[in-house]
Amino acid sequence: FRDRAYRGRFFTVALTIFLAAGVAHFLNSWLPRIVETNGGALTIAALSASVTHSMGLIGCVGLGALMDRFRPYRVTACALALGSVPIVLLGRVEPGMAVLLVAGVTGFFVIGGANSCNAFSSVSFPSEIRVTVIGYTTVVGRLAGIVAPASAGVILSLGSGPAVLFDVCAVLLVMGAAVMLIGGGICARGEARP
């Protein structure tokens, strides 16, 4: 990372992954518990996590196809920004079948968007350092997996309701989208890809 441009690209990817992966890990850790606490059946609570991850996988494939046509940083930023809408709804929807629908849409954009950061890395770094960058950002994502669920527990223990957590997640997604859009745009200057 002696090249200043690569440092900027790395911090763009790392910060975006930290924000997006933190939200994804929060969903994985807390969504079933919140659904059950809000009166949802145990089956719906368990399915909420499964639907989120299943749709996240579909999001990875769908967003990947879009990245073949458009710049990866733009697709990632749009996915994260769009993910902020259903995640706010997730904090307000009644536990039942509706929560599964909203959880699926959320998973599509949040998990798909978080994983699309690797595509940004693949076109932004030379092959000599690409795997190292992806390895480092994977560690950043794992750290987010520790910090986000623990922070959610602290926020809940302070008496805030689940809707506040989902609102905070929406803000984090918008921040991640902004980082990727601004940082990715700066990195893309001078590249030949449309």
Side-chain angles (χ1 to χ4, degrees):
F1 295 124
R2 291 187 186 119
D3 188 329
R4 189 174 176 191
Y6 294 145
R7 281 195 302 262
R9 292 174 189 183
F10 172 76
F11 287 114
T12 295
V13 174
L15 185 53
T16 303
I17 283 181
F18 186 82
L19 295 167
V23 173
H25 285 291
F26 158 75
L27 289 171
N28 186 50
S29 301
W30 282 98
L31 183 59
R33 178 71 181 139
I34 290 171
V35 169
E36 185 184 17
T37 301
N38 286 347
L42 188 57
T43 303
I44 298 294
L47 282 173
S48 67
S50 298
V51 168
T52 302
H53 285 282
S54 298
M55 289 303 293
L57 177 62
I58 293 169
C60 291
V61 173
L63 294 173
L66 287 173
M67 288 182 195
D68 287 337
R69 300 194 67 202
F70 305 102
R71 289 187 179 266
Y73 79 91
R74 290 180 181 159
V75 174
T76 301
C78 287
L80 296 178
L82 288 171
S84 69
V85 175
I87 206 161
V88 167
L89 296 175
L90 201 52
R92 287 156 179 79
V93 70
E94 292 295 319
M97 295 306 286
V99 80
L100 296 180
L101 175 66
V102 176
V105 174
T106 302
F108 181 93
F109 289 115
V110 173
I111 294 173
N115 285 303
S116 67
C117 289
N118 289 331
F120 174 76
S121 296
S122 70
V123 297
S124 299
F125 296 96
S127 57
E128 303 85 47
I129 63 171
R130 187 175 305 140
V131 174
T132 302
V133 168
I134 292 172
Y136 286 168
T137 56
T138 299
V139 171
V140 170
R142 300 287 188 247
L143 290 173
I146 296 167
V147 172
S151 299
V154 170
I155 291 170
L156 285 174
S157 72
L158 295 173
S160 295
V164 170
L165 287 176
F166 290 105
D167 291 347
V168 168
C169 287
V171 169
L172 295 176
L173 290 174
V174 170
M175 289 171 56
V179 167
M180 182 55 74
L181 194 59
I182 294 167
I186 291 169
C187 296
R189 279 192 214 146
E191 291 181 11
R193 187 174 177 165

